[in-house]
Amino acid sequence: MKRILSIVVLLCFASAIIFAGGQKEQKKEQKLKVAFIYVGPHNDGGWSQSHDNGRLYLQKQIPGIETTYSENVPEGAPAEKVMRDYANQGYNIIFATSFGFMDPMLKVAKDYPNIVFEHCSGYKTAKNMGTYFGRMYQPDYLAGLAAGFMTKTNYIGFVAPFSTPEVVREINAFTIGARETNPKAEVHVIWTNSWFDPVKEANAANTLLANNADIIASGVDSPAALQAAEKQGKYGIGYDSDMSSFAPKAVLTSRIWHWGVYYTKAVKEVQAGTWKSSQYWGSMKDGIVSLAPFGPMVPDNVKQYVEKKQKQILDGTFDPFMGPVYDQSGALKVKKGEQLSDTDKLNIQWFVQGVVGSIPKSGS
Amino acid sequence: MTEQSSILVTLSASAVRSGTILLFPTLGEIITERSGVINLGIEGMMIIGALFGFITGNLTHSPYIGFLVGMLAGGLTSLIHAFISITLRGNQIVSGLALTIFGLGLTNFFGQDWINKKFTIPVSSIAIPGLSKIPVIGPVLFNQDIFVYFSYILVVFMWFVLFKTRTGIHLRALGENAQAAGAMGVEVNKSRYWWTFFGGLMAGAGGAYLTLVYAPFWLDGITAGRGWIAVALVIFAMWNPLYAVIGAYLFGGIDSVQFQLQASGTTIPSSLLNMQPYLMTFIVVIAATIVLRKRHIGTPRELGIPYSREEK
């Protein structure tokens, strides 16, 4: 009797321990920890904020996980330290959201093979480190269509930051769109050579406006250029997020990022154990990029035309870089019936016909 | 008027507005340095003026009250520097740099809720009857907003006070030879407090002009280094308010010049064009130094040296 009792008690203890342990283990598995690293403030109104919106979206989609972020992280060695800190604290996934975080991340990824690393806008990968980016050139092209319709002077200004392939690709797609609806339109480019300098951006816009531009497309993060256009009763096209609240009378539309779509996808894959290092380049169809609603000044026939083209992009029957595409000198770059390859798109360093301006030799 | 020259006039007018952001702080720092105090915290005072001017403007729906509060915020910030460098006789360079970092941090903290907000009340241009009809000069200088006119008045007023009045003699004496100024009966430290405060007011004005008129929204770090250009402009101006005007408009217009070259499709690499302001700063500082050597004027002799009566 005594023996039976002691066995029962022992079993109870044992099962309690096993059960508790199991519960603990389960909890640990469920609570996935995700860290984000931003180069600017999380609410900068531009690039970093678009990523933080993505983080919040992720949190909403997958409520069981824990997310955190570090803002204003300088590119280079300090970024490496931040990533190591997160790795040591047991974070399972780290997203680094600026180009300059690429090499530090690669270094850290090698030392923590069990953690998933994701780098935005870069090209270096490892077994546990992937890259992700969006095909912003699709919304760029659609915005260009609208701009071509709306310009009366045929002079469209583009305020651009650095001449990275990303920015060159954007200007090209935008110009292809503008020329499609208005073969006489020219897109004049001004490089500010800075990611953030509102006064400079306003000056650039003012210069273009003085030269007869009646639409200013912004490729920079602050709304200064759009406000400058509004002040003179001209139009603008925003970037990063819907900029219409800054210059409601001016903004025709904006090209926007939805990083949350990818963050949710990646985290779900990690949870399911299916994540694999890859170079993700999402499209409008994936929902990672889009065109903001049009402003009230855009007439219906323009909207309809753009929507028609948007449908073709979404169902994959059309790509802005389908031939024939000519470069600035008029030379045929992509033959009719062909399409620029992803590699060529990713490395593009020439302007299409219709762009006025030159690409500085050394980008960024 | 041909198309080219009308573009030039438009761009010059916008250069004046863009230069006004620099003109206010430059004028202030000229006075501060003339009194023997160097304040490298212009960037910090500017951005504090920019934020608090912006917030006040939004709350009161008045760009004018916003501007005044922005000035005051810059002025109050400068008192930290005054206390460290005049009362405590600390290192002015370190204190000024700290003030810049402080300003950026403070505005980052208090600006959180204002990020992405804008100031919607436009400050319109007022054409001055008669003067605005003068070809070229009229539309460039006399069809501007009230803050630009305020800066014109300040320039003339400050030049007058500095070189034509007793107050100006005392002020200049403070920076040249504080002991002598003390012997003349000037209360050295008290006066330096006032002139440092004045420099802060002006830096705040530059910041407030930026966020209320030129780029009327709030984002972190919106001054983007303009306070440092003002520091260089003080040397360019050889501590003379009249020359400050030329420097400020030159630097205000330099963006437009290189952007114009880009827009017209020139093949000069834009990275080279974008270096212009910095190249200009080098050239200006070198040229000014040579001129100053020859003429023995300019840099206040006791700039940055704290004053104490016991030291003889």
Side-chain angles (χ1 to χ4, degrees):
Chain A
M1 184 67 199
K2 234 183 190 175
R3 204 181 262 176
I4 293 167
L5 198 73
S6 60
I7 286 171
V8 169
V9 169
L10 259 175
L11 275 173
C12 277
F13 269 126
S15 69
I17 288 167
I18 289 164
F19 187 66
Q23 207 176 31
K24 218 176 178 182
E25 201 116 276
Q26 230 174 7
K27 220 178 183 178
K28 216 178 187 176
E29 235 170 65
Q30 266 177 357
K31 197 106 185 163
L32 203 72
K33 287 164 84 180
V34 187
F36 291 81
I37 300 170
Y38 307 142
V39 72
H42 74 283
N43 53 1
D44 64 355
W47 181 255
S48 292
Q49 185 165 355
S50 70
H51 285 282
D52 200 54
N53 289 342
R55 180 183 69 85
L56 296 172
Y57 177 86
L58 165 70
Q59 188 81 69
K60 225 185 210 169
Q61 296 297 311
I62 313 175
I65 58 167
E66 183 190 323
T67 70
T68 186
Y69 64 85
S70 287
E71 56 189 344
N72 288 319
V73 177
E75 298 178 334
E80 188 182 326
K81 196 194 167 294
V82 172
M83 288 181 223
R84 276 188 201 284
D85 281 351
Y86 279 132
N88 290 333
Q89 286 169 38
Y91 277 84
N92 311 84
I93 311 172
I94 300 173
F95 290 100
T97 65
S98 187
F99 183 78
F101 294 150
M102 180 166 67
D103 288 327
M105 180 165 249
L106 196 66
K107 254 185 178 171
V108 179
K110 281 195 178 129
D111 295 343
Y112 296 89
N114 296 324
I115 295 174
V116 169
F117 292 86
E118 286 269 16
H119 178 239
C120 179
S121 81
Y123 54 86
K124 291 185 185 169
T125 55
K127 227 178 182 171
N128 58 331
M129 172 175 162
T131 66
Y132 62 100
F133 211 27
R135 295 173 189 264
M136 188 53 108
Y137 65 86
Q138 295 172 336
D140 286 327
Y141 161 79
L142 296 174
L145 292 175
F149 271 122
M150 300 294 286
T151 179
K152 292 204 169 66
T153 59
N154 298 334
Y155 191 121
I156 302 168
F158 201 110
V159 180
F162 290 102
S163 55
T164 59
E166 157 73 3
V167 181
V168 172
R169 190 166 61 240
E170 290 207 12
I171 295 168
N172 280 340
F174 179 81
T175 308
I176 289 171
R179 299 274 280 199
E180 180 177 323
T181 52
N182 182 349
K184 281 193 203 134
E186 281 181 343
V187 177
H188 293 248
V189 180
I190 287 186
W191 304 101
T192 62
N193 283 4
S194 97
W195 290 117
F196 178 80
D197 189 335
V199 174
K200 238 179 174 182
E201 290 158 18
N203 285 344
N206 282 331
T207 307
L208 290 162
L209 292 165
N211 281 280
N212 216 13
D214 60 354
I215 297 178
I216 302 291
S218 167
V220 284
D221 287 347
S222 102
L226 303 172
Q227 284 185 327
E230 187 177 51
K231 238 182 224 173
Q232 301 196 23
K234 304 289 162 64
Y235 295 134
I237 288 170
Y239 181 60
D240 278 333
S241 56
D242 190 345
M243 288 279 180
S244 57
S245 66
F246 282 103
K249 276 181 238 152
V251 173
L252 301 173
T253 180
S254 306
R255 301 103 71 209
I256 23 185
W257 293 105
H258 303 280
W259 299 108
V261 174
Y262 181 70
Y263 293 146
T264 310
K265 172 176 136 68
V267 170
K268 273 188 180 154
E269 281 175 7
V270 171
Q271 280 179 326
T274 58
W275 185 90
K276 247 193 217 154
S277 165
S278 69
Q279 289 194 290
Y280 174 85
W281 201 20
S283 63
M284 281 185 89
K285 197 178 163 192
D286 303 316
I288 194 166
V289 289
S290 80
L291 201 64
F294 285 108
M297 70 297 271
V298 179
D300 281 341
N301 65 322
V302 176
K303 283 185 202 165
Q304 279 155 11
Y305 188 89
V306 174
E307 270 156 24
K308 193 183 89 193
K309 280 292 180 176
Q310 177 166 323
K311 228 175 247 161
Q312 291 177 4
I313 289 179
L314 287 175
D315 64 26
T317 54
F318 178 78
D319 183 275
F321 288 102
M322 269 179 176
V325 177
Y326 299 90
D327 73 1
Q328 268 179 313
S329 69
L332 185 67
K333 280 287 196 180
V334 186
K335 281 186 212 131
K336 201 177 172 193
E338 286 178 17
Q339 194 180 325
L340 206 61
S341 72
D342 272 4
T343 319
D344 286 340
K345 279 179 191 162
L346 283 168
N347 297 310
I348 196 161
Q349 277 294 305
W350 48 271
F351 274 144
V352 299
Q353 202 169 37
V355 180
V356 181
S358 55
I359 300 171
K361 283 271 150 25
S362 53
S364 83
Chain B
M1 221 187 284
T2 66
E3 197 196 342
Q4 281 302 318
S5 62
S6 90
I7 290 175
L8 204 67
V9 166
T10 317
L11 290 180
S12 304
S14 89
V16 168
R17 280 190 291 278
S18 158
T20 303
I21 302 167
L22 299 168
L23 181 56
F24 283 119
T26 307
L27 290 174
E29 183 69 7
I30 286 175
I31 296 296
T32 307
E33 292 195 10
R34 280 279 187 179
S35 80
V37 177
I38 185 164
N39 186 352
L40 295 182
I42 299 183
E43 178 81 3
M45 300 185 295
M46 251 182 110
I47 198 156
I48 284 177
L51 176 65
F52 290 100
F54 178 79
I55 292 178
T56 312
N58 264 309
L59 294 180
T60 60
H61 303 289
S62 162
Y64 311 106
I65 299 175
F67 187 78
L68 287 177
V69 171
M71 276 177 79
L72 207 63
L76 290 175
T77 314
S78 74
L79 292 180
I80 301 171
H81 182 70
F83 180 70
I84 292 169
S85 57
I86 301 169
T87 307
L88 300 181
R89 297 198 283 140
N91 185 319
Q92 300 188 5
I93 305 295
V94 175
S95 164
L97 292 174
L99 202 63
T100 291
I101 298 165
F102 168 74
L104 293 171
L106 185 93
T107 50
N108 173 278
F109 181 73
F110 284 106
Q112 291 289 318
D113 294 339
W114 292 92
I115 283 182
N116 272 331
K117 301 253 163 64
K118 54 179 180 162
F119 181 69
T120 48
I121 298 159
V123 178
S124 49
S125 301
I126 306 160
I128 294 183
L131 288 175
S132 62
K133 294 283 179 293
I134 307 170
V136 185
I137 293 171
V140 172
L141 291 179
F142 300 110
N143 189 9
Q144 298 285 9
D145 59 65
I146 191 160
F147 300 115
V148 174
Y149 295 137
F150 174 55
S151 73
Y152 295 168
I153 296 167
L154 264 175
V155 169
V156 177
F157 179 71
M158 280 175 52
W159 174 82
F160 183 78
V161 169
L162 199 51
F163 297 112
K164 303 287 168 196
T165 67
R166 212 177 159 70
T167 314
I169 294 172
H170 288 167
L171 167 53
R172 283 180 289 147
L174 286 171
E176 293 297 329
N177 189 336
Q179 295 294 340
M184 276 159 71
V186 180
E187 288 184 73
V188 175
N189 284 349
K190 197 175 149 194
S191 306
R192 280 183 170 173
Y193 254 92
W194 276 114
W195 297 127
T196 305
F197 181 67
F198 179 79
L201 288 179
M202 289 295 103
Y209 183 71
L210 171 64
T211 50
L212 290 168
V213 183
Y214 201 80
F217 57 90
W218 174 255
L219 282 180
D220 238 6
I222 193 161
T223 47
R226 273 179 183 68
W228 293 108
I229 294 182
V231 172
L233 280 177
V234 172
I235 303 166
F236 173 91
M238 297 189 277
W239 292 266
N240 184 331
L242 293 185
Y243 298 153
V245 180
I246 303 167
Y249 294 168
L250 217 57
F251 273 77
I254 212 161
D255 277 350
S256 305
V257 171
Q258 66 106 343
F259 288 153
Q260 178 60 30
L261 287 173
Q262 283 194 44
S264 54
T266 134
T267 47
I268 306 170
S270 69
S271 40
L272 205 71
L273 294 173
N274 270 307
M275 270 169 58
Q276 265 184 343
Y278 310 102
L279 284 178
M280 273 276 290
T281 312
F282 272 129
I283 294 165
V284 155
V285 171
I286 291 166
T289 313
I290 293 167
V291 173
L292 294 179
R293 282 252 172 82
K294 274 194 183 146
R295 290 218 242 143
H296 301 287
I297 52 150
T299 323
R301 213 155 284 153
E302 294 188 358
L303 182 60
I305 302 170
Y307 168 78
S308 113
R309 241 181 295 178
E310 305 90 67
E311 275 172 28
K312 287 276 155 76

PDB file of all heavy atoms in Angstrom, chain B residues 253-273:
ATOM      1  N   GLY B 253      21.669  81.049 -52.643  1.00  0.00           N
ATOM      2  CA  GLY B 253      21.439  80.881 -54.068  1.00  0.00           C
ATOM      3  C   GLY B 253      22.279  79.802 -54.712  1.00  0.00           C
ATOM      4  O   GLY B 253      22.034  79.384 -55.837  1.00  0.00           O
ATOM      5  N   ILE B 254      23.271  79.323 -53.959  1.00  0.00           N
ATOM      6  CA  ILE B 254      24.217  78.393 -54.574  1.00  0.00           C
ATOM      7  C   ILE B 254      23.544  77.093 -54.990  1.00  0.00           C
ATOM      8  O   ILE B 254      23.856  76.530 -56.040  1.00  0.00           O
ATOM      9  CB  ILE B 254      25.405  78.152 -53.623  1.00  0.00           C
ATOM     10  CG1 ILE B 254      26.651  77.915 -54.434  1.00  0.00           C
ATOM     11  CG2 ILE B 254      25.131  77.050 -52.656  1.00  0.00           C
ATOM     12  CD1 ILE B 254      27.893  78.131 -53.628  1.00  0.00           C
ATOM     13  N   ASP B 255      22.575  76.635 -54.183  1.00  0.00           N
ATOM     14  CA  ASP B 255      21.804  75.443 -54.562  1.00  0.00           C
ATOM     15  C   ASP B 255      21.133  75.682 -55.909  1.00  0.00           C
ATOM     16  O   ASP B 255      21.207  74.860 -56.805  1.00  0.00           O
ATOM     17  CB  ASP B 255      20.708  75.160 -53.527  1.00  0.00           C
ATOM     18  CG  ASP B 255      21.241  74.385 -52.335  1.00  0.00           C
ATOM     19  OD1 ASP B 255      22.391  73.917 -52.421  1.00  0.00           O
ATOM     20  OD2 ASP B 255      20.521  74.272 -51.338  1.00  0.00           O
ATOM     21  N   SER B 256      20.463  76.848 -55.983  1.00  0.00           N
ATOM     22  CA  SER B 256      19.706  77.142 -57.206  1.00  0.00           C
ATOM     23  C   SER B 256      20.616  77.163 -58.423  1.00  0.00           C
ATOM     24  O   SER B 256      20.234  76.686 -59.492  1.00  0.00           O
ATOM     25  CB  SER B 256      19.002  78.491 -57.078  1.00  0.00           C
ATOM     26  OG  SER B 256      18.215  78.501 -55.920  1.00  0.00           O
ATOM     27  N   VAL B 257      21.815  77.710 -58.261  1.00  0.00           N
ATOM     28  CA  VAL B 257      22.725  77.795 -59.400  1.00  0.00           C
ATOM     29  C   VAL B 257      23.065  76.396 -59.894  1.00  0.00           C
ATOM     30  O   VAL B 257      22.929  76.080 -61.079  1.00  0.00           O
ATOM     31  CB  VAL B 257      24.023  78.535 -59.008  1.00  0.00           C
ATOM     32  CG1 VAL B 257      25.055  78.417 -60.121  1.00  0.00           C
ATOM     33  CG2 VAL B 257      23.727  79.987 -58.704  1.00  0.00           C
ATOM     34  N   GLN B 258      23.454  75.533 -58.960  1.00  0.00           N
ATOM     35  CA  GLN B 258      23.873  74.207 -59.420  1.00  0.00           C
ATOM     36  C   GLN B 258      22.680  73.370 -59.857  1.00  0.00           C
ATOM     37  O   GLN B 258      22.793  72.557 -60.760  1.00  0.00           O
ATOM     38  CB  GLN B 258      24.752  73.528 -58.369  1.00  0.00           C
ATOM     39  CG  GLN B 258      24.060  73.198 -57.081  1.00  0.00           C
ATOM     40  CD  GLN B 258      23.804  71.719 -56.995  1.00  0.00           C
ATOM     41  OE1 GLN B 258      23.854  71.041 -58.007  1.00  0.00           O
ATOM     42  NE2 GLN B 258      23.501  71.242 -55.798  1.00  0.00           N
ATOM     43  N   PHE B 259      21.518  73.603 -59.237  1.00  0.00           N
ATOM     44  CA  PHE B 259      20.318  72.889 -59.684  1.00  0.00           C
ATOM     45  C   PHE B 259      19.920  73.358 -61.081  1.00  0.00           C
ATOM     46  O   PHE B 259      19.452  72.582 -61.905  1.00  0.00           O
ATOM     47  CB  PHE B 259      19.161  73.097 -58.712  1.00  0.00           C
ATOM     48  CG  PHE B 259      19.339  72.351 -57.411  1.00  0.00           C
ATOM     49  CD1 PHE B 259      18.747  72.808 -56.242  1.00  0.00           C
ATOM     50  CD2 PHE B 259      20.096  71.194 -57.359  1.00  0.00           C
ATOM     51  CE1 PHE B 259      18.905  72.123 -55.053  1.00  0.00           C
ATOM     52  CE2 PHE B 259      20.264  70.499 -56.175  1.00  0.00           C
ATOM     53  CZ  PHE B 259      19.663  70.963 -55.013  1.00  0.00           C
ATOM     54  N   GLN B 260      20.092  74.659 -61.328  1.00  0.00           N
ATOM     55  CA  GLN B 260      19.762  75.201 -62.641  1.00  0.00           C
ATOM     56  C   GLN B 260      20.648  74.561 -63.713  1.00  0.00           C
ATOM     57  O   GLN B 260      20.181  74.187 -64.783  1.00  0.00           O
ATOM     58  CB  GLN B 260      19.927  76.722 -62.639  1.00  0.00           C
ATOM     59  CG  GLN B 260      19.660  77.393 -63.976  1.00  0.00           C
ATOM     60  CD  GLN B 260      18.238  77.148 -64.465  1.00  0.00           C
ATOM     61  OE1 GLN B 260      17.330  76.989 -63.666  1.00  0.00           O
ATOM     62  NE2 GLN B 260      18.054  77.090 -65.775  1.00  0.00           N
ATOM     63  N   LEU B 261      21.929  74.406 -63.382  1.00  0.00           N
ATOM     64  CA  LEU B 261      22.848  73.777 -64.328  1.00  0.00           C
ATOM     65  C   LEU B 261      22.391  72.346 -64.604  1.00  0.00           C
ATOM     66  O   LEU B 261      22.404  71.882 -65.740  1.00  0.00           O
ATOM     67  CB  LEU B 261      24.268  73.772 -63.760  1.00  0.00           C
ATOM     68  CG  LEU B 261      24.966  75.128 -63.756  1.00  0.00           C
ATOM     69  CD1 LEU B 261      26.286  75.050 -63.015  1.00  0.00           C
ATOM     70  CD2 LEU B 261      25.195  75.610 -65.180  1.00  0.00           C
ATOM     71  N   GLN B 262      21.947  71.645 -63.557  1.00  0.00           N
ATOM     72  CA  GLN B 262      21.472  70.271 -63.741  1.00  0.00           C
ATOM     73  C   GLN B 262      20.211  70.235 -64.590  1.00  0.00           C
ATOM     74  O   GLN B 262      20.081  69.414 -65.487  1.00  0.00           O
ATOM     75  CB  GLN B 262      21.160  69.645 -62.382  1.00  0.00           C
ATOM     76  CG  GLN B 262      22.354  69.204 -61.597  1.00  0.00           C
ATOM     77  CD  GLN B 262      21.912  68.302 -60.452  1.00  0.00           C
ATOM     78  OE1 GLN B 262      21.092  67.426 -60.623  1.00  0.00           O
ATOM     79  NE2 GLN B 262      22.467  68.536 -59.274  1.00  0.00           N
ATOM     80  N   ALA B 263      19.269  71.148 -64.264  1.00  0.00           N
ATOM     81  CA  ALA B 263      17.977  71.127 -64.952  1.00  0.00           C
ATOM     82  C   ALA B 263      18.133  71.438 -66.426  1.00  0.00           C
ATOM     83  O   ALA B 263      17.369  70.973 -67.254  1.00  0.00           O
ATOM     84  CB  ALA B 263      17.019  72.114 -64.300  1.00  0.00           C
ATOM     85  N   SER B 264      19.142  72.248 -66.756  1.00  0.00           N
ATOM     86  CA  SER B 264      19.313  72.599 -68.167  1.00  0.00           C
ATOM     87  C   SER B 264      20.125  71.531 -68.889  1.00  0.00           C
ATOM     88  O   SER B 264      20.478  71.689 -70.053  1.00  0.00           O
ATOM     89  CB  SER B 264      19.984  73.968 -68.292  1.00  0.00           C
ATOM     90  OG  SER B 264      21.176  73.986 -67.564  1.00  0.00           O
ATOM     91  N   GLY B 265      20.435  70.442 -68.166  1.00  0.00           N
ATOM     92  CA  GLY B 265      21.041  69.295 -68.833  1.00  0.00           C
ATOM     93  C   GLY B 265      22.543  69.408 -69.039  1.00  0.00           C
ATOM     94  O   GLY B 265      23.084  68.842 -69.989  1.00  0.00           O
ATOM     95  N   THR B 266      23.232  70.105 -68.156  1.00  0.00           N
ATOM     96  CA  THR B 266      24.677  70.198 -68.312  1.00  0.00           C
ATOM     97  C   THR B 266      25.320  68.871 -67.943  1.00  0.00           C
ATOM     98  O   THR B 266      24.751  68.053 -67.232  1.00  0.00           O
ATOM     99  CB  THR B 266      25.300  71.318 -67.450  1.00  0.00           C
ATOM    100  OG1 THR B 266      26.442  70.797 -66.808  1.00  0.00           O
ATOM    101  CG2 THR B 266      24.344  71.794 -66.422  1.00  0.00           C
ATOM    102  N   THR B 267      26.512  68.654 -68.437  1.00  0.00           N
ATOM    103  CA  THR B 267      27.142  67.353 -68.215  1.00  0.00           C
ATOM    104  C   THR B 267      28.140  67.364 -67.061  1.00  0.00           C
ATOM    105  O   THR B 267      28.791  66.363 -66.800  1.00  0.00           O
ATOM    106  CB  THR B 267      27.864  66.892 -69.495  1.00  0.00           C
ATOM    107  OG1 THR B 267      28.629  67.987 -69.991  1.00  0.00           O
ATOM    108  CG2 THR B 267      26.882  66.431 -70.538  1.00  0.00           C
ATOM    109  N   ILE B 268      28.260  68.498 -66.369  1.00  0.00           N
ATOM    110  CA  ILE B 268      29.138  68.518 -65.195  1.00  0.00           C
ATOM    111  C   ILE B 268      28.544  67.572 -64.149  1.00  0.00           C
ATOM    112  O   ILE B 268      27.354  67.634 -63.859  1.00  0.00           O
ATOM    113  CB  ILE B 268      29.225  69.937 -64.591  1.00  0.00           C
ATOM    114  CG1 ILE B 268      29.648  70.943 -65.654  1.00  0.00           C
ATOM    115  CG2 ILE B 268      30.199  69.971 -63.418  1.00  0.00           C
ATOM    116  CD1 ILE B 268      29.520  72.388 -65.207  1.00  0.00           C
ATOM    117  N   PRO B 269      29.363  66.671 -63.600  1.00  0.00           N
ATOM    118  CA  PRO B 269      28.802  65.729 -62.624  1.00  0.00           C
ATOM    119  C   PRO B 269      28.141  66.464 -61.462  1.00  0.00           C
ATOM    120  O   PRO B 269      28.703  67.421 -60.928  1.00  0.00           O
ATOM    121  CB  PRO B 269      30.034  64.962 -62.133  1.00  0.00           C
ATOM    122  CG  PRO B 269      31.083  65.194 -63.140  1.00  0.00           C
ATOM    123  CD  PRO B 269      30.783  66.486 -63.812  1.00  0.00           C
ATOM    124  N   SER B 270      26.935  66.007 -61.089  1.00  0.00           N
ATOM    125  CA  SER B 270      26.192  66.730 -60.062  1.00  0.00           C
ATOM    126  C   SER B 270      26.865  66.612 -58.703  1.00  0.00           C
ATOM    127  O   SER B 270      26.731  67.473 -57.851  1.00  0.00           O
ATOM    128  CB  SER B 270      24.766  66.209 -59.976  1.00  0.00           C
ATOM    129  OG  SER B 270      24.776  64.907 -59.451  1.00  0.00           O
ATOM    130  N   SER B 271      27.629  65.518 -58.505  1.00  0.00           N
ATOM    131  CA  SER B 271      28.319  65.412 -57.218  1.00  0.00           C
ATOM    132  C   SER B 271      29.327  66.538 -57.068  1.00  0.00           C
ATOM    133  O   SER B 271      29.555  67.063 -55.983  1.00  0.00           O
ATOM    134  CB  SER B 271      29.000  64.058 -57.086  1.00  0.00           C
ATOM    135  OG  SER B 271      29.586  63.683 -58.303  1.00  0.00           O
ATOM    136  N   LEU B 272      29.913  66.931 -58.200  1.00  0.00           N
ATOM    137  CA  LEU B 272      30.863  68.043 -58.179  1.00  0.00           C
ATOM    138  C   LEU B 272      30.112  69.344 -57.897  1.00  0.00           C
ATOM    139  O   LEU B 272      30.538  70.166 -57.095  1.00  0.00           O
ATOM    140  CB  LEU B 272      31.578  68.123 -59.530  1.00  0.00           C
ATOM    141  CG  LEU B 272      32.945  68.787 -59.516  1.00  0.00           C
ATOM    142  CD1 LEU B 272      33.939  67.890 -58.810  1.00  0.00           C
ATOM    143  CD2 LEU B 272      33.408  69.060 -60.934  1.00  0.00           C
ATOM    144  N   LEU B 273      28.954  69.493 -58.573  1.00  0.00           N
ATOM    145  CA  LEU B 273      28.156  70.697 -58.372  1.00  0.00           C
ATOM    146  C   LEU B 273      27.702  70.798 -56.917  1.00  0.00           C
ATOM    147  O   LEU B 273      27.681  71.880 -56.332  1.00  0.00           O
ATOM    148  CB  LEU B 273      26.933  70.679 -59.290  1.00  0.00           C
ATOM    149  CG  LEU B 273      27.224  70.771 -60.782  1.00  0.00           C
ATOM    150  CD1 LEU B 273      25.942  70.561 -61.572  1.00  0.00           C
ATOM    151  CD2 LEU B 273      27.826  72.116 -61.120  1.00  0.00           C
TER     152      LEU B 273
END
